[in-house]
Coordinates of all heavy atoms in Angstrom, one line a residue:
M280 N -4.9 -119.8 50.7 CA -4.1 -118.9 51.5 C -2.8 -119.5 51.9 O -1.8 -118.9 51.8 CB -5.0 -118.4 52.7 CG -4.2 -117.6 53.6 SD -4.3 -115.9 53.0 CE -3.5 -115.0 54.3
W281 N -2.9 -120.8 52.4 CA -1.6 -121.5 52.9 C -0.7 -121.7 51.7 O 0.5 -121.7 51.8 CB -1.9 -122.7 53.6 CG -2.6 -122.4 55.0 CD1 -3.9 -122.7 55.3 CD2 -2.0 -121.8 56.1 NE1 -4.1 -122.2 56.6 CE2 -2.9 -121.7 57.1 CE3 -0.7 -121.2 56.3 CZ2 -2.7 -121.1 58.3 CZ3 -0.5 -120.6 57.5 CH2 -1.5 -120.5 58.5
T282 N -1.3 -122.1 50.6 CA -0.5 -122.3 49.4 C 0.2 -121.1 48.9 O 1.4 -121.1 48.6 CB -1.4 -122.8 48.2 OG1 -2.2 -124.0 48.6 CG2 -0.6 -123.2 47.0
F283 N -0.5 -120.0 49.0 CA 0.2 -118.7 48.6 C 1.3 -118.4 49.6 O 2.4 -118.0 49.1 CB -0.9 -117.6 48.7 CG -0.3 -116.2 48.5 CD1 0.2 -115.8 47.3 CD2 -0.1 -115.4 49.6 CE1 0.8 -114.5 47.1 CE2 0.5 -114.1 49.4 CZ 0.9 -113.7 48.2
L284 N 1.1 -118.6 50.9 CA 2.2 -118.3 51.8 C 3.4 -119.2 51.7 O 4.5 -118.8 51.7 CB 1.6 -118.3 53.3 CG 0.7 -117.2 53.7 CD1 0.2 -117.4 55.1 CD2 1.5 -115.9 53.6
S285 N 3.1 -120.5 51.4 CA 4.2 -121.5 51.3 C 5.0 -121.2 50.0 O 6.2 -121.3 50.0 CB 3.7 -122.9 51.3 OG 2.9 -123.1 50.2
N286 N 4.3 -120.8 48.9 CA 5.0 -120.4 47.7 C 5.8 -119.1 47.9 O 6.9 -119.0 47.4 CB 4.0 -120.2 46.5 CG 3.4 -121.5 46.0 OD1 4.0 -122.6 46.2 ND2 2.3 -121.4 45.4
L287 N 5.3 -118.2 48.6 CA 6.0 -116.9 48.9 C 7.2 -117.2 49.7 O 8.3 -116.7 49.4 CB 5.1 -115.9 49.6 CG 5.7 -114.6 49.9 CD1 6.0 -113.9 48.6 CD2 4.7 -113.7 50.7
I288 N 7.1 -118.1 50.7 CA 8.3 -118.4 51.5 C 9.3 -119.2 50.6 O 10.5 -118.9 50.8 CB 7.9 -119.3 52.7 CG1 7.1 -118.4 53.7 CG2 9.1 -119.9 53.4 CD1 6.4 -119.2 54.8
A289 N 8.9 -120.0 49.8 CA 9.8 -120.8 48.9 C 10.5 -119.8 47.9 O 11.7 -119.9 47.7 CB 9.0 -121.8 48.1
I290 N 9.8 -118.8 47.4 CA 10.4 -117.8 46.5 C 11.4 -117.0 47.3 O 12.6 -116.8 46.8 CB 9.3 -116.9 45.9 CG1 8.5 -117.7 44.9 CG2 9.9 -115.7 45.2 CD1 7.2 -117.0 44.4
I291 N 11.1 -116.6 48.5 CA 12.1 -115.8 49.3 C 13.3 -116.7 49.6 O 14.4 -116.2 49.5 CB 11.4 -115.3 50.6 CG1 10.3 -114.2 50.2 CG2 12.4 -114.7 51.5 CD1 9.4 -113.8 51.3
A292 N 13.1 -117.9 50.0 CA 14.2 -118.8 50.3 C 15.1 -119.0 49.1 O 16.3 -119.0 49.2 CB 13.7 -120.1 50.8
N293 N 14.5 -119.2 47.9 CA 15.3 -119.4 46.7 C 16.1 -118.1 46.4 O 17.2 -118.2 45.9 CB 14.4 -119.8 45.5 CG 14.0 -121.3 45.6 OD1 14.7 -122.1 46.3 ND2 12.9 -121.6 45.0
A294 N 15.4 -117.0 46.5 CA 16.1 -115.7 46.3 C 17.3 -115.5 47.2 O 18.4 -115.1 46.8 CB 15.2 -114.5 46.4
F295 N 17.1 -115.9 48.5 CA 18.2 -115.8 49.4 C 19.4 -116.8 49.1 O 20.5 -116.4 49.1 CB 17.7 -116.1 50.9 CG 18.9 -116.1 51.9 CD1 19.4 -114.9 52.3 CD2 19.4 -117.2 52.3 CE1 20.4 -114.8 53.2 CE2 20.4 -117.2 53.2 CZ 21.0 -116.0 53.7
K296 N 19.0 -118.0 48.7 CA 20.0 -119.0 48.3 C 20.8 -118.5 47.1 O 22.0 -118.6 47.0 CB 19.3 -120.3 48.0 CG 20.3 -121.4 47.6 CD 19.7 -122.7 47.3 CE 20.6 -123.8 47.0 NZ 21.8 -123.4 46.1
L297 N 20.1 -117.9 46.1 CA 20.8 -117.4 44.9 C 21.8 -116.2 45.3 O 22.9 -116.2 44.8 CB 19.8 -116.9 43.9 CG 19.0 -118.0 43.1 CD1 17.9 -117.3 42.3 CD2 19.9 -118.8 42.3
W298 N 21.3 -115.3 46.2 CA 22.1 -114.2 46.6 C 23.3 -114.8 47.4 O 24.4 -114.3 47.2 CB 21.3 -113.3 47.5 CG 22.1 -112.2 48.2 CD1 22.5 -111.1 47.6 CD2 22.7 -112.3 49.5 NE1 23.2 -110.3 48.5 CE2 23.4 -111.0 49.6 CE3 22.6 -113.2 50.5 CZ2 24.0 -110.7 50.8 CZ3 23.3 -112.8 51.7 CH2 24.0 -111.6 51.8
H299 N 23.1 -115.7 48.3 CA 24.2 -116.3 49.0 C 25.2 -117.0 48.2 O 26.4 -116.9 48.3 CB 23.6 -117.3 50.1 CG 24.6 -117.8 51.0 ND1 25.2 -119.0 51.0 CD2 25.2 -117.2 52.1 CE1 26.1 -119.2 51.9 NE2 26.1 -118.0 52.6
D300 N 24.7 -117.8 47.2 CA 25.6 -118.4 46.2 C 26.5 -117.4 45.5 O 27.7 -117.6 45.2 CB 24.9 -119.3 45.2 CG 24.3 -120.5 45.9 OD1 24.7 -120.9 47.0 OD2 23.4 -121.2 45.2
E301 N 25.9 -116.3 45.1 CA 26.6 -115.3 44.4 C 27.7 -114.6 45.3 O 28.8 -114.4 44.8 CB 25.6 -114.2 43.9 CG 26.3 -113.1 43.0 CD 26.9 -113.6 41.8 OE1 26.5 -114.6 41.2 OE2 27.9 -113.0 41.3
Q302 N 27.3 -114.5 46.5 CA 28.3 -113.9 47.5 C 29.5 -114.9 47.6 O 30.7 -114.4 47.7 CB 27.7 -113.7 48.9 CG 26.6 -112.6 48.9 CD 27.1 -111.3 48.4 OE1 28.2 -110.8 48.8 NE2 26.4 -110.7 47.5
L303 N 29.3 -116.2 47.7 CA 30.3 -117.2 47.8 C 31.2 -117.1 46.5 O 32.4 -117.2 46.6 CB 29.8 -118.6 48.0 CG 29.1 -118.8 49.4 CD1 28.5 -120.2 49.4 CD2 30.1 -118.6 50.5
R304 N 30.6 -117.0 45.3 CA 31.3 -116.9 44.1 C 32.2 -115.7 44.1 O 33.4 -115.7 43.7 CB 30.4 -116.9 42.9 CG 30.0 -118.3 42.5 CD 29.3 -118.3 41.1 NE 28.1 -117.6 41.0 CZ 26.9 -118.1 41.4 NH1 26.8 -119.4 41.8 NH2 25.8 -117.4 41.3
N305 N 31.7 -114.6 44.5 CA 32.5 -113.3 44.6 C 33.7 -113.5 45.5 O 34.7 -113.0 45.2 CB 31.6 -112.2 45.0 CG 30.7 -111.7 43.9 OD1 30.9 -112.0 42.7 ND2 29.6 -111.0 44.3
E306 N 33.5 -114.1 46.7 CA 34.6 -114.3 47.6 C 35.6 -115.2 47.0 O 36.8 -115.0 47.1 CB 34.1 -115.0 48.9 CG 33.3 -114.0 49.8 CD 32.7 -114.7 51.0 OE1 33.0 -115.9 51.3 OE2 31.8 -114.1 51.7
G307 N 35.2 -116.2 46.2 CA 36.1 -117.1 45.5 C 36.9 -116.4 44.5 O 38.1 -116.5 44.4
R308 N 36.3 -115.5 43.8 CA 37.0 -114.7 42.8 C 38.0 -113.8 43.4 O 39.1 -113.6 42.9 CB 36.0 -113.8 42.0 CG 35.1 -114.6 41.0 CD 34.2 -113.7 40.2 NE 33.2 -114.4 39.6 CZ 31.9 -114.2 39.7 NH1 31.5 -113.3 40.5 NH2 31.1 -115.0 39.1
Q309 N 37.6 -113.2 44.6 CA 38.5 -112.3 45.3 C 39.7 -113.0 45.8 O 40.9 -112.5 45.7 CB 37.8 -111.6 46.4 CG 36.8 -110.6 46.0 CD 35.9 -110.1 47.1 OE1 36.0 -110.5 48.2 NE2 35.1 -109.1 46.8
E310 N 39.5 -114.3 46.2 CA 40.7 -115.1 46.7 C 41.6 -115.4 45.5 O 42.8 -115.4 45.6 CB 40.2 -116.4 47.3 CG 39.5 -116.1 48.7 CD 38.9 -117.4 49.2 OE1 39.2 -118.5 48.7 OE2 38.2 -117.3 50.2
V311 N 41.0 -115.7 44.3 CA 41.8 -116.0 43.1 C 42.6 -114.8 42.7 O 43.8 -114.9 42.4 CB 40.9 -116.5 42.0 CG1 41.7 -116.5 40.7 CG2 40.4 -117.9 42.3
V312 N 42.0 -113.6 42.7 CA 42.7 -112.4 42.4 C 43.8 -112.1 43.4 O 44.9 -111.7 43.0 CB 41.7 -111.2 42.3 CG1 42.4 -109.9 42.2 CG2 40.8 -111.4 41.1
K313 N 43.5 -112.3 44.7 CA 44.5 -112.0 45.7 C 45.7 -113.0 45.5 O 46.9 -112.6 45.6 CB 43.9 -112.2 47.1 CG 44.9 -111.9 48.2 CD 44.2 -112.1 49.6 CE 45.1 -111.8 50.7 NZ 44.5 -112.0 52.0
K314 N 45.5 -114.2 45.2 CA 46.5 -115.2 45.0 C 47.4 -114.8 43.8 O 48.6 -114.9 43.8 CB 45.9 -116.6 44.9 CG 46.9 -117.7 44.6 CD 47.8 -117.9 45.8 CE 48.7 -119.1 45.5 NZ 50.0 -119.0 46.0
A315 N 46.7 -114.4 42.7 CA 47.4 -114.0 41.5 C 48.3 -112.8 41.8 O 49.4 -112.7 41.3 CB 46.4 -113.7 40.4
E316 N 47.8 -111.8 42.6 CA 48.6 -110.7 42.9 C 49.8 -111.1 43.7 O 50.9 -110.6 43.5 CB 47.8 -109.7 43.7 CG 46.8 -108.9 42.8 CD 45.8 -108.1 43.6 OE1 45.8 -108.2 44.8 OE2 45.1 -107.3 43.0
E317 N 49.6 -112.0 44.7 CA 50.8 -112.5 45.5 C 51.8 -113.2 44.6 O 53.0 -113.0 44.8 CB 50.3 -113.4 46.6 CG 49.5 -112.7 47.7 CD 48.8 -113.7 48.6 OE1 49.0 -114.9 48.4 OE2 48.2 -113.2 49.6
D318 N 51.3 -114.0 43.7 CA 52.2 -114.7 42.8 C 53.0 -113.8 41.9 O 54.2 -113.9 41.6 CB 51.4 -115.7 41.9 CG 50.9 -116.9 42.7 OD1 51.3 -117.1 43.8 OD2 50.1 -117.7 42.1
A319 N 52.3 -112.7 41.4 CA 53.0 -111.7 40.6 C 54.1 -111.0 41.4 O 55.1 -110.7 40.8 CB 51.9 -110.7 40.0
K320 N 53.8 -110.7 42.6 CA 54.8 -110.0 43.4 C 56.0 -110.9 43.7 O 57.1 -110.5 43.6 CB 54.2 -109.6 44.8 CG 53.3 -108.4 44.7 CD 52.7 -108.0 46.0 CE 51.7 -106.9 45.9 NZ 51.0 -106.7 47.2
A321 N 55.7 -112.2 43.9 CA 56.8 -113.1 44.2 C 57.6 -113.3 42.9 O 58.9 -113.3 42.9 CB 56.2 -114.5 44.6
T322 N 57.0 -113.4 41.7 CA 57.7 -113.5 40.5 C 58.5 -112.3 40.2 O 59.7 -112.4 39.8 CB 56.7 -113.8 39.3 OG1 55.9 -114.9 39.6 CG2 57.4 -113.9 38.0
E323 N 58.0 -111.1 40.5 CA 58.7 -109.9 40.3 C 59.9 -109.8 41.2 O 61.0 -109.4 40.7 CB 57.8 -108.7 40.6 CG 58.4 -107.4 40.3 CD 57.5 -106.2 40.6 OE1 56.2 -106.4 40.5 OE2 58.0 -105.1 40.8
S324 N 59.8 -110.2 42.4 CA 61.0 -110.2 43.3 C 62.0 -111.2 42.9 O 63.2 -110.9 42.9 CB 60.5 -110.4 44.8 OG 60.1 -111.7 44.9
V325 N 61.6 -112.4 42.4 CA 62.6 -113.4 41.9 C 63.3 -112.8 40.7 O 64.5 -112.9 40.5 CB 61.9 -114.7 41.7 CG1 62.8 -115.7 40.9 CG2 61.5 -115.3 43.0
A326 N 62.5 -112.3 39.8 CA 63.1 -111.7 38.5 C 64.0 -110.6 38.8 O 65.1 -110.5 38.2 CB 62.0 -111.3 37.6
S327 N 63.7 -109.8 39.8 CA 64.5 -108.6 40.2 C 65.8 -109.2 40.8 O 66.9 -108.7 40.4 CB 63.8 -107.8 41.2 OG 64.7 -106.8 41.7
A328 N 65.8 -110.2 41.6 CA 67.0 -110.7 42.2 C 67.8 -111.4 41.1 O 69.1 -111.3 41.1 CB 66.6 -111.7 43.3
A329 N 67.2 -112.1 40.2 CA 67.9 -112.8 39.1 C 68.6 -111.7 38.2 O 69.7 -112.0 37.7 CB 67.0 -113.7 38.4
A330 N 67.9 -110.6 37.9 CA 68.4 -109.6 37.0 C 69.7 -109.0 37.6 O 70.5 -108.4 36.8 CB 67.3 -108.6 36.8
S331 N 69.9 -109.0 38.9 CA 71.0 -108.4 39.4 C 72.2 -109.4 39.6 O 73.3 -109.0 40.0 CB 70.7 -107.8 40.8 OG 70.3 -108.8 41.7
D332 N 71.9 -110.7 39.3 CA 73.0 -111.7 39.4 C 73.8 -111.8 38.1 O 73.2 -112.1 37.0 CB 72.3 -113.1 39.7 CG 73.3 -114.2 39.9 OD1 74.5 -113.9 39.9 OD2 72.8 -115.3 40.1
P333 N 75.1 -111.5 38.1 CA 75.9 -111.5 36.9 C 75.8 -112.8 36.2 O 75.8 -112.8 34.9 CB 77.3 -111.2 37.4 CG 77.1 -110.6 38.7 CD 75.9 -111.1 39.3
A334 N 75.8 -113.9 36.9 CA 75.7 -115.3 36.2 C 74.4 -115.4 35.4 O 74.5 -115.9 34.3 CB 75.9 -116.4 37.2
V335 N 73.3 -115.0 35.9 CA 72.1 -115.0 35.2 C 72.1 -114.1 34.0 O 71.7 -114.5 32.9 CB 70.9 -114.7 36.2 CG1 69.6 -114.5 35.4 CG2 70.8 -115.7 37.3
I336 N 72.6 -112.9 34.2 CA 72.7 -112.0 33.1 C 73.5 -112.6 31.9 O 73.2 -112.5 30.8 CB 73.3 -110.7 33.5 CG1 72.3 -110.0 34.5 CG2 73.6 -109.7 32.3 CD1 72.9 -108.8 35.2
E337 N 74.7 -113.2 32.3 CA 75.5 -113.8 31.2 C 74.8 -115.0 30.5 O 74.9 -115.2 29.3 CB 76.8 -114.3 31.8 CG 77.8 -114.8 30.8 CD 78.1 -113.8 29.7 OE1 78.2 -112.6 30.0 OE2 78.2 -114.2 28.6
R338 N 74.1 -115.8 31.3 CA 73.3 -116.9 30.7 C 72.3 -116.4 29.7 O 72.1 -116.9 28.6 CB 72.6 -117.8 31.7 CG 73.5 -118.9 32.3 CD 72.7 -119.8 33.1 NE 72.0 -119.1 34.1 CZ 72.0 -119.3 35.4 NH1 72.8 -120.2 35.9 NH2 71.4 -118.5 36.3
V339 N 71.6 -115.4 30.1 CA 70.5 -114.8 29.2 C 71.2 -114.2 28.0 O 70.7 -114.4 26.9 CB 69.7 -113.7 30.0 CG1 68.8 -112.9 29.0 CG2 68.9 -114.4 31.1
R340 N 72.3 -113.5 28.1 CA 73.0 -113.0 27.0 C 73.4 -114.1 26.0 O 73.3 -113.9 24.8 CB 74.2 -112.2 27.4 CG 73.9 -110.7 27.6 CD 75.2 -109.9 27.7 NE 74.9 -108.7 28.3 CZ 75.4 -108.2 29.4 NH1 76.4 -108.8 30.0 NH2 75.0 -107.0 29.9
S341 N 74.0 -115.1 26.5 CA 74.5 -116.2 25.7 C 73.3 -116.9 25.0 O 73.4 -117.2 23.8 CB 75.3 -117.2 26.4 OG 74.5 -117.9 27.4
R342 N 72.2 -117.1 25.7 CA 71.1 -117.7 25.0 C 70.5 -116.8 23.9 O 70.1 -117.2 22.9 CB 70.0 -118.0 26.0 CG 70.3 -119.2 26.9 CD 69.3 -119.5 27.9 NE 69.7 -120.5 28.8 CZ 69.1 -120.9 29.9 NH1 68.0 -120.2 30.3 NH2 69.6 -121.8 30.7
W343 N 70.5 -115.5 24.2 CA 70.0 -114.5 23.3 C 70.9 -114.5 22.0 O 70.4 -114.5 20.9 CB 69.9 -113.1 23.9 CG 69.6 -112.0 23.0 CD1 70.4 -111.2 22.4 CD2 68.3 -111.7 22.5 NE1 69.7 -110.3 21.6 CE2 68.4 -110.6 21.6 CE3 67.0 -112.3 22.7 CZ2 67.3 -110.1 20.9 CZ3 65.9 -111.7 22.0 CH2 66.1 -110.6 21.2
D344 N 72.2 -114.5 22.2 CA 73.1 -114.5 21.1 C 72.9 -115.8 20.3 O 73.0 -115.8 19.0 CB 74.6 -114.4 21.6 CG 74.9 -113.0 22.1 OD1 74.1 -112.1 21.8 OD2 75.8 -112.9 22.9
R345 N 72.8 -117.0 20.9 CA 72.6 -118.2 20.2 C 71.3 -118.2 19.4 O 71.3 -118.6 18.2 CB 72.6 -119.4 21.2 CG 74.0 -119.8 21.6 CD 73.9 -121.2 22.3 NE 72.8 -121.2 23.3 CZ 73.0 -121.3 24.7 NH1 74.3 -121.3 25.1 NH2 72.0 -121.4 25.5
A346 N 70.3 -117.7 20.0 CA 69.0 -117.6 19.3 C 69.1 -116.7 18.1 O 68.5 -116.9 17.1 CB 67.9 -117.2 20.3
R347 N 69.8 -115.6 18.3 CA 69.9 -114.6 17.3 C 70.7 -115.1 16.1 O 70.4 -114.9 14.9 CB 70.5 -113.3 17.8 CG 70.5 -112.1 16.9 CD 71.0 -110.9 17.5 NE 72.2 -111.2 18.2 CZ 73.0 -110.4 18.7 NH1 72.7 -109.1 18.7 NH2 74.2 -110.7 19.3
T348 N 71.8 -115.8 16.4 CA 72.6 -116.4 15.3 C 71.9 -117.5 14.6 O 72.1 -117.7 13.4 CB 74.0 -116.9 15.8 OG1 73.7 -117.9 16.9 CG2 74.8 -115.8 16.4
R349 N 71.0 -118.2 15.3 CA 70.3 -119.3 14.6 C 69.3 -118.7 13.6 O 69.0 -119.3 12.6 CB 69.5 -120.2 15.6 CG 70.3 -121.3 16.1 CD 69.5 -122.2 17.0 NE 69.9 -121.9 18.3 CZ 69.1 -121.9 19.4 NH1 67.9 -122.1 19.2 NH2 69.6 -121.6 20.6
R350 N 68.7 -117.5 13.9 CA 67.7 -116.9 13.1 C 68.3 -116.1 11.9 O 67.7 -115.8 11.0 CB 66.9 -116.0 13.9 CG 66.0 -116.7 14.9 CD 65.1 -115.7 15.6 NE 64.5 -116.4 16.8 CZ 64.3 -115.8 17.9 NH1 64.6 -114.5 18.1 NH2 63.8 -116.4 18.9
T351 N 69.6 -115.8 12.0 CA 70.3 -115.0 11.0 C 70.5 -115.9 9.8 O 71.1 -117.0 9.9 CB 71.6 -114.5 11.5 OG1 71.4 -113.8 12.7 CG2 72.3 -113.6 10.4
P352 N 70.0 -115.5 8.6 CA 70.2 -116.3 7.4 C 71.7 -116.3 7.0 O 72.4 -115.3 7.2 CB 69.4 -115.6 6.3 CG 69.1 -114.3 6.9 CD 69.3 -114.3 8.3
E353 N 72.1 -117.5 6.6 CA 73.5 -117.7 6.1 C 73.7 -117.0 4.8 O 72.9 -117.0 3.9 CB 73.9 -119.1 6.0 CG 73.8 -119.9 7.3 CD 74.8 -119.4 8.3 OE1 75.9 -119.1 7.9 OE2 74.5 -119.4 9.5
S354 N 74.9 -116.3 4.7 CA 75.2 -115.6 3.4 C 75.8 -116.5 2.4 O 76.4 -117.4 2.6 CB 76.2 -114.5 3.7 OG 75.6 -113.6 4.6

């Protein structure tokens, strides 16, 4: 009888531990997703600010032109 009860308690304790570990993993995933969303917003705001800067626009255009001319086959 005592063996049965101790085994039952051990099974319940292990089930609770597995459930608790899964909850902690889910919280960790949620934190990673939240951080990724914050990083994406920050990147978007920096990109938006850079896109409105004429100097940045000119640098991108010149790099694009250089890359395009390098890829163009010579006649």
